[in-house]
Each structure stands twice: as C-alpha cells, then as structure tokens.
Amino acid sequence: MITAILKRTANKPPAADAPLVLALDVGTSSVRGALYDEGGAEVSGTQARLARGLETTADGGAELDARAAVEQTAEVIDAVVARAAALGARIGAVAPACFWHSLVGVDAAGLPLTPVYGWADTRAARHARILKRRLDEREAHARTGCRFHPSYWPAKLLWLREERPEIFRRVRRWVSFGELLSARFLGEPAASVSMASGTGLLDSRSLRWDEELLEAVGVRAEQLPEVERKHAPLGELTGEHARRWPALGGAPWFPAVGDGAANNIGAGCATRERVALMVGTSGAMRVMWEGEPPAELPAPLWLYRADERRVLAGGALSDGGGLFQWASDALRLEARAGEAEQELAQMGPDAHGLTVMPFWSGERSTGWNALARGAILGLTTHTRPAEILRASMEAVAYRFALVARALDPLAPGAEVVASGGALAASKVWPQMLADVLARPLRLAGAAEASSRGAALLALEATGKLKSIADAEAPTAQTFEPDMLAHARYRAGLSRHEKLYARLVADEEAAAEINRQT
C-alpha cells in the first residue's frame, strides 16, 4: 500500500515551467519518492512511501524477491508521477538513491536468477574467513575500503560459487539492486562509482574492479557492470516503462548512488566539518570530502565514494532502529508507546544495571564479526521492560561512540548532524546520543535526507546547482550534551567494552585493530 507523507510546513507550489527532479530512496525497509525543485527543496505533498522488509531465514539469510522489489519501486514512481500531474508539474530528471551492498545474479536478458541478497545476509560468514586465510585483508582493505565480511560481494560470491554452483554457473552478470532497476527501466545496467564502491570489489583509487579479488572469487570483470566514472544520465525509459510513465518521456535517468552517500549530502554533510549520523533500521556514521582516500584507513572503518570526486569514510551498525523496534515489539511496549517513552525519559543514564551487546543482525563496525550475536546481561526479576529498551538504545549509542573515536583523525572536531526515522520514534534517543558522544547533536531538518541528496547530485550534474554545497540543509533541533550524564555513560561504555572483548570480539579482528590504533 502506498502511503502519502505530507510535510509539516508547505513549500510554495512549483512554477508550471520549472522542471522538477523525481528522487527515489530505495531502501530495504521501504521505498520512498518525492519531487524536488531546482534549489533542492522538497515539494510539499509529493512524497510517497511503500513499506517492506527483508525476508530473514534461520540460517542467516536476508533477501528480497527481486521482481517484486522492482515492481514496488515502480509503484512508488506511479504515485509520485500522479502527484506531479495533480500539481501540473513537469519532471525533468529522475535521481535514485539505493541501499548499498546488495547482490543479484541476472541472465543474458537482464532478468533476475537470484533473490536480492541484502547487507544483513550473514550466510557467507564462513567464506569471509576463508578469504582472510587466503588473502591479505589489510591490503584488500587499503585498496577497496572494505573488510572481508559477508555484507560485501567477495564473500557472497564465494559462498554462491561453492554452495549454489548451479545458479552461479547460470548467472551472466552480477549487479546490485540499483543496476537491476536501471536495466529493467532503461535497458542499461551500468553502475555508478558510488554503488560499485560499496561492493568490496572496486579499487577505490583506480575505480576499476580489483583483479586479485575477482580471481579469488572466480568472477570475470565482464560479468560485472560497467562503472560510470562521471555522474551523468544513463538514458531514457524504454519499452513497457516508457508506456507506463509517458510523463517521464525525455526525462534523463541518473544511475543510482549509495543511500549513505546521498544521506550525507542531503543532510548537509559533504565536507570534513560535519559528520552524518543516521539511525534507520541499521545505523551509520560517516564523513565526506572531495579528494583522495586517506593513506591509511583505520581497521574499524570502511571507505566508499559518492562520485568520482568525493569519498566518504565511516562505520556501520547492523542494528539501529531495527533493534529498537524489535525490543518494543518483543516487550509489548508498542501498544503503550507514550507511557514507555515517559519511563525512558525518567530513567537516569546507565541506571538499569544492564549491558547489551546489540548484535541481533551480526556485527559490522567496529570489529566486523559477522557471527556476533545479541545478548542482554544483568537481568534480574526486578528488571522492567522499559529498562531493557533503554539499555538497548544506550548500547547502540556506545557503538556509535566507538565509530566516532575511529573517525576523529579524519574529521577532528566535526559537528554531528543526525537523521533517520528511528530518531523520531523516541525523543530520548537524540539527547542520549549527544550525551554519550559529548558533542552537540543537530537534527537534520530535511524530511528525507537520502532522496534529497540524490536530487542535489542530479541538479549539480545538470548545472542547475553550481555545487551541492549551495543548497543549505535546514536544522530541526539541536541537542546539547549533559556532561554529568556523559560521565555516567563513560562508565557504561567501559563495562560494555570489557564484556564485548570477552563475548563478541573476533580475535583476529581485535589484533588487527590493536595494531592500527
């Protein structure tokens, strides 16, 4: 079901002769679309959203049905095009942002032979360890910006080669969901530098597929998409989709960019002066700049690209808002959300005696242990459900503090700008993050930072904006840190780190982190 999302404050209606950008935010938990004007402002009343979710399996699978996922995206486009028609607006370009790290195998006609394997799929964990034994992970991390982890393509491809050999042999080309969309809509599966950089197979400096890794996983370069170095339109609609959306005839389509890169841009975090913190289903903390990758990348971090000129480094958490939702549902707090929120607000920092390892979906940053599992320690018969929820939120904040520590050399003293739907679920969480980080935290005012970022990149590429920096990002609210609360959280973080070392840390990963920090 398509949901319309209206902004709190209405923008002026667009001029009839001013073409708009239809921007998409194609995620794992939803697909969103909206129209943006030539200044990068969202046009009120044009946003549409369709909720969905990864199908999970007991053995660690996390998938989307590829054909259904394409149609879900098309349905959101239907809704936004209809809203444009109601406004009498003209669409001048289409700019998608898409979730990173997905993998799909397609046949010679570009039709999917596999599901969409998502970033949360951990079935290739054993094959990530095989890669660690066969190759030098430090050298691969320096080249690609990615660790050997099942969220990335190398481990997934090795897993498919060894455990799904019949499918592996039938696949003509391996693509991400972003390229699958462009192949279905435009007949052109080319990859942006941004999407390619999130695969774990792209050399972040040469912007070519990494030959050593291709050989290691048994894939040829011609089985991967062409990498478009410049962020430029791929073409126009073809076939059934040209007939489905005549209003988009002549509108150029840009290749999908990674949703994290688009989120930074949409939130106004395109330089080292600002770090973006995003809490959606998962979580991430990222810094972007124009220039080359750093000479040395800390082991806890990854490095991807927004385009051929901009790189971004950061850390990602597999559990963010998804853990909040799981705890709310499992503890039956959703039905009394207002009461639970009040309990959360009245609780003091680290006042519950609990320590949570927030790895329900495995670990990415900082230790990259895909086999990590969640744990709640310190439970007693007196523990209340809201205390478990608060301890889970604090644990996610602690993981962000560890990512921030690794990012400090790359962006010293940077301002923190936060976005993501999960932060709207609890007003306690933004203040908690500010207190744990001991930094002011500014909530981004853009309703949808990722789709806005995709729109801004398209406007820059077409010359409508001189630079993405020209579109100032609004601020919704700023949370100042409480340093007394921070002192209590430091004790909680210290306890968290000690238990993490005993229960979760991958010994090889821990040794590598110790060598580099």
Side-chain angles (χ1 to χ4, degrees):
M1 177 180 176
I2 300 289
T3 303
I5 303 177
L6 304 181
K7 294 179 67 177
R8 295 188 187 93
T9 57
N11 296 327
K12 292 180 180 179
D17 60 345
L20 304 176
V21 177
L22 192 167
L24 298 168
D25 177 11
V26 183
T28 54
S29 59
S30 69
V31 182
R32 300 168 186 259
L35 298 176
Y36 290 82
D37 67 20
E38 292 188 350
E42 184 183 326
V43 178
S44 181
T46 65
Q47 190 181 125
R49 175 181 181 271
L50 189 152
R52 64 179 180 193
L54 291 166
E55 292 292 329
T56 59
T57 62
D59 62 349
E63 305 175 348
L64 291 171
D65 180 282
R67 287 177 172 81
V70 170
E71 180 56 26
Q72 288 160 355
T73 307
E75 288 175 12
V76 170
I77 295 172
D78 286 340
V80 180
V81 167
R83 288 174 190 140
L87 290 173
R90 181 164 60 91
I91 297 173
V94 181
C98 186
F99 57 102
W100 258 320
H101 322 312
S102 62
L103 178 65
V104 190
V106 300
D107 63 16
L111 297 174
L113 294 171
T114 72
V116 181
Y117 300 112
W119 56 263
D121 197 310
T122 59
R123 288 175 290 188
R126 182 174 68 85
H127 297 83
R129 291 179 177 272
I130 290 172
L131 288 171
K132 290 181 182 182
R133 291 196 296 270
R134 292 179 181 174
L135 303 172
D136 188 321
E137 186 181 23
R138 285 182 297 173
E139 290 185 359
H141 185 226
R143 294 196 309 272
T144 67
C146 302
R147 300 286 298 272
F148 291 149
H149 189 271
S151 55
Y152 297 121
W153 283 19
K156 281 190 175 79
L157 288 167
L158 194 59
W159 166 65
L160 288 164
R161 179 187 176 187
E162 294 188 0
E163 299 194 15
R164 306 283 195 277
E166 292 185 7
I167 292 176
F168 189 86
R169 285 193 295 269
R170 290 174 58 202
V171 169
R172 179 64 63 89
R173 180 171 286 174
W174 298 99
V175 299
S176 77
F177 188 67
E179 291 89 73
L180 181 64
L181 285 180
S182 63
R184 302 309 304 144
F185 295 165
L186 312 174
E188 176 56 70
S192 68
V193 166
S194 180
M195 290 302 294
S197 71
T199 64
L201 278 177
L202 189 78
D203 187 305
S204 63
R205 288 179 171 80
S206 70
L207 305 185
R208 296 187 178 91
W209 298 115
D210 189 274
E211 293 182 3
E212 181 183 52
L213 291 175
L214 291 182
E215 183 177 356
V217 301
V219 171
R220 303 182 307 278
E222 55 266 30
Q223 291 181 278
L224 303 179
E226 290 290 329
V227 179
E228 295 289 332
R229 285 176 171 259
K230 293 197 173 295
H231 192 60
L234 292 175
E236 299 176 7
L237 287 169
T238 60
E240 63 180 289
H241 293 99
R243 294 187 292 274
R244 182 169 180 169
W245 302 310
L248 300 182
W253 285 63
F254 282 83
V257 297
D259 56 354
N263 182 273
N264 263 59
I265 293 167
C269 300
T271 70
R272 293 182 195 258
E273 295 174 354
R274 293 175 179 170
V275 170
L277 188 157
M278 186 282 299
V279 188
T281 302
S282 57
M285 198 168 185
R286 306 170 295 253
V287 62
M288 181 185 292
W289 67 90
E290 284 198 38
E292 291 301 310
E296 291 188 27
L297 182 64
L301 303 181
W302 44 252
L303 183 133
Y304 312 141
R305 282 186 174 268
D307 55 23
E308 72 277 11
R309 293 188 289 125
R310 300 177 176 99
V311 297
L312 70 162
L317 312 183
S318 292
D319 291 282
L323 178 54
F324 179 93
Q325 190 62 52
W326 179 92
S328 297
D329 292 344
L331 299 168
R332 300 184 178 180
L333 293 170
E334 191 70 28
R336 55 184 190 92
E339 182 183 339
E341 177 75 4
Q342 188 174 3
E343 284 187 72
L344 291 173
Q346 290 173 347
M347 250 180 272
D350 191 35
H352 37 66
L354 302 175
T355 304
V356 174
M357 296 292 110
F359 306 119
W360 270 237
S361 303
E363 184 196 15
R364 287 188 281 173
S365 302
T366 57
W368 297 96
N369 183 359
L371 298 178
R373 292 295 178 261
I376 304 171
L377 305 166
L379 290 167
T380 72
T381 55
H382 187 64
T383 301
R384 303 190 311 276
E387 290 179 314
I388 298 174
L389 179 58
R390 171 133 189 162
S392 300
M393 296 164 68
E394 289 177 358
V396 171
Y398 294 154
R399 302 311 300 175
F400 276 121
L402 298 174
V403 173
R405 185 187 299 172
L407 275 173
D408 277 345
L410 299 177
E415 180 183 18
V416 179
V417 180
S419 65
L423 294 181
S426 171
K427 298 301 182 185
V428 173
W429 216 343
Q431 185 62 56
M432 181 187 296
L433 286 163
D435 295 344
V436 170
L437 295 172
R439 299 191 204 180
L441 184 139
R442 191 157 65 87
L443 281 184
E448 297 294 335
S450 293
S451 60
R452 180 175 188 265
L456 290 176
L457 278 173
L459 289 166
E460 181 187 65
T462 55
K464 304 295 184 184
L465 282 178
K466 183 178 180 182
S467 168
I468 56 175
D470 292 343
E472 187 62 30
T475 298
Q477 189 176 356
T478 299
F479 294 82
E480 296 292 337
D482 179 332
M483 298 311 292
L484 290 177
H486 175 69
R488 296 184 67 175
Y489 282 133
R490 285 180 61 186
L493 174 57
S494 176
R495 187 176 69 251
H496 175 94
E497 288 187 277
K498 288 175 182 177
L499 286 168
Y500 172 90
R502 290 184 180 184
L503 300 175
V504 177
D506 183 302
E507 291 183 5
E508 295 176 11
E512 176 62 21
I513 291 170
N514 289 335
R515 279 196 293 269
Q516 293 198 29
T517 58

